[in-house]
Amino acid sequence: MAEPQKMKRRKRTTIVLIVLGALILCVVLSIRSPINFVLDALLDPDPFDDRSFNQKVWLDHYEDWGIANPRGRMAYSVQKLLLDSRMTREEVIELLGPPEYGSEDSNFQYLLGPWSAFRMDYDFLIITFDEDDRVKDVRIIPT
């Protein structure tokens, strides 16, 4: 009679361990993203200098509000390109596409995605033009 009791206990123990394992796995998977954000912020405090400018990738992510928008990684490369060349307004549109959300006559705004701090706020590339309609300043601004 003692043997069936041992078998029942083993079955219960196995079921409890499987359920606990599944719960632990669910918890780990649900906190994976916040952990990645913290690690990104600690290990890569300046995400804007990770990639060279790629026009096709940039244009493919027009008005992309997703967390994986790769434009932020190209921000310094775009900034340097625009400042060094002092492009005209039309040349900037030809290179980067039409300006996005919130753009005004005096500047163009391009969405970079949420890259600064803990990737909670969206960042923008702000291009200001001088009186000759040439690039005067390029800034990366979190909102």
Side-chain angles (χ1 to χ4, degrees), residues 94-114:
E94 187 177 318
L95 182 71
L96 302 179
E100 294 165 322
Y101 178 79
S103 295
E104 302 168 3
D105 289 338
S106 60
N107 64 50
F108 283 176
Q109 294 185 26
Y110 291 92
L111 178 63
L112 297 176

Side-chain angles (χ1 to χ4, degrees):
M1 201 80 169
E3 196 61 37
Q5 292 289 13
K6 282 186 179 179
M7 292 295 285
K8 282 185 179 180
R9 270 194 212 125
R10 281 187 191 158
K11 269 187 174 178
R12 278 190 215 134
T13 304
T14 302
I15 291 171
V16 167
L17 288 175
I18 289 171
V19 169
L20 282 174
L23 286 172
I24 290 170
L25 181 63
C26 288
V27 168
V28 167
L29 290 176
S30 69
I31 64 171
R32 182 176 166 265
S33 293
I35 288 172
N36 283 346
F37 293 149
V38 171
L39 288 175
D40 279 349
L42 294 174
L43 298 176
D44 191 11
D46 192 359
F48 300 112
D49 195 21
D50 189 47
R51 294 186 187 161
S52 296
F53 174 68
N54 179 317
Q55 185 181 29
K56 181 181 178 348
V57 171
W58 183 276
L59 294 173
D60 286 347
H61 291 276
Y62 181 79
E63 291 186 341
D64 179 357
W65 290 88
I67 198 161
N69 186 335
R71 286 180 167 189
R73 297 279 188 193
M74 297 183 239
Y76 284 160
S77 178
V78 172
Q79 185 179 43
K80 181 174 176 16
L81 175 69
L82 295 175
L83 289 172
D84 287 352
S85 65
R86 293 211 20 157
M87 290 183 177
T88 65
R89 199 178 286 263
E90 291 77 24
E91 290 170 329
V92 170
I93 292 172
E94 187 177 318
L95 182 71
L96 302 179
E100 294 165 322
Y101 178 79
S103 295
E104 302 168 3
D105 289 338
S106 60
N107 64 50
F108 283 176
Q109 294 185 26
Y110 291 92
L111 178 63
L112 297 176
W115 287 100
S116 59
F118 291 107
R119 297 188 66 184
M120 293 173 60
D121 295 322
Y122 287 88
D123 304 298
F124 288 86
L125 186 77
I126 311 293
I127 304 166
T128 306
F129 297 92
D130 63 15
E131 58 279 349
D132 297 324
D133 265 355
R134 293 200 167 272
V135 173
K136 176 182 177 183
D137 188 32
V138 180
R139 292 173 285 138
I140 299 163
I141 306 289
T143 57

